[in-house]
């Protein structure tokens, strides 16, 4: 069935745009290489707010060109020709940057021309906001245009030398995820934190990565003309998982899980790991979960990709169930690689035998790289891992 054009545009606009100004384009989109081209849909290029640090006591700042500092009411309170490396801290209610003190709850640093702000030894393209927090702490948020952000994410989330079709797919996924978060958190102080998408400012940009991102500029995935959280992970181990099973999200077709025959050369395809029971008890204790003398841990409720949604811990205190993904994150994603495991008690440790790395939902990065090596383009890769999506250029 062909959906009415106006309905498609209206759905797309409310799905991506939040409160930003929109153009009134009403003509039919061009479809080129499988992409619906709505490049005049948004009047302004989207900006995203990224949390760089939270509750910091000290950080380093340098600026390589002319800059301006404004307060929370957008009044200009300082300017300079450049700033040598200086320490940021909070002193008696003021934000201190080196020997300068600003008696305000927030400062915003903007460079003029193409100057860059270096924060904790990493250069950033956007504007930097420093916000006071209780107990002489502060958080730092970058406001950056979305394409610069994506250029910073792609080389941080995927090896920079990987096949360009895999990198293009990664760019579109990161853009889709970021635009989804930008819409659902539009009223919040920030849209994304550093744990959701790896981002290191300009550190992992290269000429090749920037060109690949530029070639996909403005392209996002939509399902039923709605944007969705485009999850991805390193290695699925043979079948990706339903998002409802892992996160409890709505089980939409792009995130229900698919067969993946492409990631068996990942070193995380199959693994076995001994983790000491006392380490597990300690990690749980740090999250205020108290269990002693763990006897065994069982995977419960395995999904299509064999990722379990819950686990049970049998200990001297009885039996306790918890979310499997929550357990994996508490133990540490570099220790317990995924939730697709069987486990057995092995004296003082638990032996986890599993497959895959990551939560298992959405695109499998190793699978995408092997699909690309086998000649698949980014559109085919994305439509394999996210069935029933369309690709749309929105700016
Ligand atoms: Zn896979």
């Amino acid at each position: 069935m062909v959906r009415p054009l106006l309905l498609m545009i209206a759905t797309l606009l409310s799905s991506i745009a939040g409160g930003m100004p929109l153009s009134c384009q009403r003509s039919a989109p061009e479809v080129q290489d499988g992409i619906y081209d709505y490049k005049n849909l948004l009047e302004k290029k989207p900006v995203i707010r990224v949390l760089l640090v939270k509750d910091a006591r000290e950080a380093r700042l340098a600026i390589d060109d002319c800059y301006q500092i404004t307060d929370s009411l957008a009044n200009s309170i300082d300017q300079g020709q450049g700033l040598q490396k200086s320490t940021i801290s909070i002193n008696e209610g003021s934000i201190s940057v080196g020997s300068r003190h600003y008696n305000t709850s927030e400062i915003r640093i903007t460079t003029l021309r193409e100057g860059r702000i270096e924060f904790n030894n990493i250069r950033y393209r956007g504007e930097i906001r420093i916000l006071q927090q209780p107990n002489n702490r502060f958080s730092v948020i970058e406001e950056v245009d979305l394409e610069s952000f994506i250029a910073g994410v792609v080389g941080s989330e995927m090896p920079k030398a990987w096949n360009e079709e895999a990198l293009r797919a990664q760019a579109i996924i990161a853009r889709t995820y970021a635009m989804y978060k930008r819409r659902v958190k539009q009223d919040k102080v920030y849209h994304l934190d550093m744990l959701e998408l790896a981002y290191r400012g300009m550190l992992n940009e290269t000429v090749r990565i920037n060109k690949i991102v530029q070639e996909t500029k403005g392209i996002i995935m939509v399902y039923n003309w709605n944007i969705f959280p485009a999850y991805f992970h390193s290695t699925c181990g043979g079948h990706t998982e339903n998002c409802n099973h892992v996160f409890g999200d709505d089980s939409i077709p792009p995130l229900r899980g698919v067969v993946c025959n492409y990631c068996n050369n990942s070193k995380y395809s199959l693994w076995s790991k001994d983790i000491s029971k006392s380490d597990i008890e300690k990690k749980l204790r740090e999250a205020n979960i108290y269990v002693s003398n763990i006897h065994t841990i069982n995977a419960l409720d395995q999904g299509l990709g064999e990722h379990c949604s819950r686990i049970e811990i049998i200990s001297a205190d009885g039996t306790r169930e918890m979310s499997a993904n929550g357990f994996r994150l508490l133990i540490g994603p570099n220790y317990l690689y995924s939730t697709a495991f069987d486990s057995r008690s092995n004296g003082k440790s638990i032996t986890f035998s599993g497959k895959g790395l990551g939560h298992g939902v959405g695109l499998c990065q190793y699978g995408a790289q092997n699909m690309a090596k086998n000649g698949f383009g980014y559109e085919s890769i994305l439509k394999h891992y996210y069935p029933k999506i369309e690709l749309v250029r929105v700016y």
Side-chain angles (χ1 to χ4, degrees), residues 235-238 260 263 364 367 385:
T235 305
C236 72
C260 169
C263 62
C364 163
Y385 286 104

Side-chain angles (χ1 to χ4, degrees), residues 219-230:
I219 302 176
I220 58 167
M221 295 184 285
V222 292
Y223 163 67
N224 209 12
W225 298 94
N226 280 292
I227 199 161
F228 62 94

Side-chain angles (χ1 to χ4, degrees), residues 114-253:
E114 286 283 288
R116 303 290 177 231
I117 299 171
E118 190 180 300
F119 174 72
N120 280 348
N121 303 319
I122 295 176
R123 296 195 327 143
Y124 291 88
R125 292 181 187 275
E127 298 180 5
I128 296 289
R129 291 166 60 195
I130 301 169
L131 289 77
Q132 286 207 43
Q133 303 293 333
N135 302 319
N136 289 336
R137 291 174 187 260
F138 60 91
S139 55
V140 176
I141 291 167
E142 183 194 17
E143 288 194 9
V144 59
D145 90 89
L146 190 61
E147 291 303 309
S148 299
F149 175 70
I150 300 304
V153 169
V154 170
S156 306
E157 284 286 4
M158 192 174 254
K160 295 193 271 280
W162 273 18
N163 187 289
E164 63 184 48
E165 294 299 320
L167 290 162
R168 282 198 183 99
Q170 181 70 68
I172 293 168
I173 292 166
R175 189 180 294 107
T176 305
Y177 188 84
M179 282 199 75
Y180 172 81
K181 295 299 298 220
R182 185 174 162 281
R183 207 249 317 165
V184 296
K185 295 184 82 175
Q186 59 183 303
D187 300 328
K188 300 284 193 286
V189 180
Y190 59 89
H191 302 125
L192 272 168
D193 70 41
M194 308 270 287
L195 297 176
E196 293 177 87
L197 284 176
Y199 170 62
R200 308 275 286 153
M202 297 171 68
L203 189 68
N204 290 317
E205 287 185 17
T206 63
V207 172
R208 179 171 176 260
I209 293 274
N210 289 0
K211 179 169 175 287
I212 285 167
V213 171
Q214 172 66 26
E215 285 161 358
T216 71
K217 182 181 164 190
I219 302 176
I220 58 167
M221 295 184 285
V222 292
Y223 163 67
N224 209 12
W225 298 94
N226 280 292
I227 199 161
F228 62 94
Y231 296 112
F232 62 95
H233 60 281
S234 164
T235 305
C236 72
H239 200 297
T240 65
E241 199 55 79
N242 191 319
C243 66
N244 179 264
H245 188 75
V246 178
F247 302 123
D249 292 7
D250 285 349
S251 173
I252 57 171

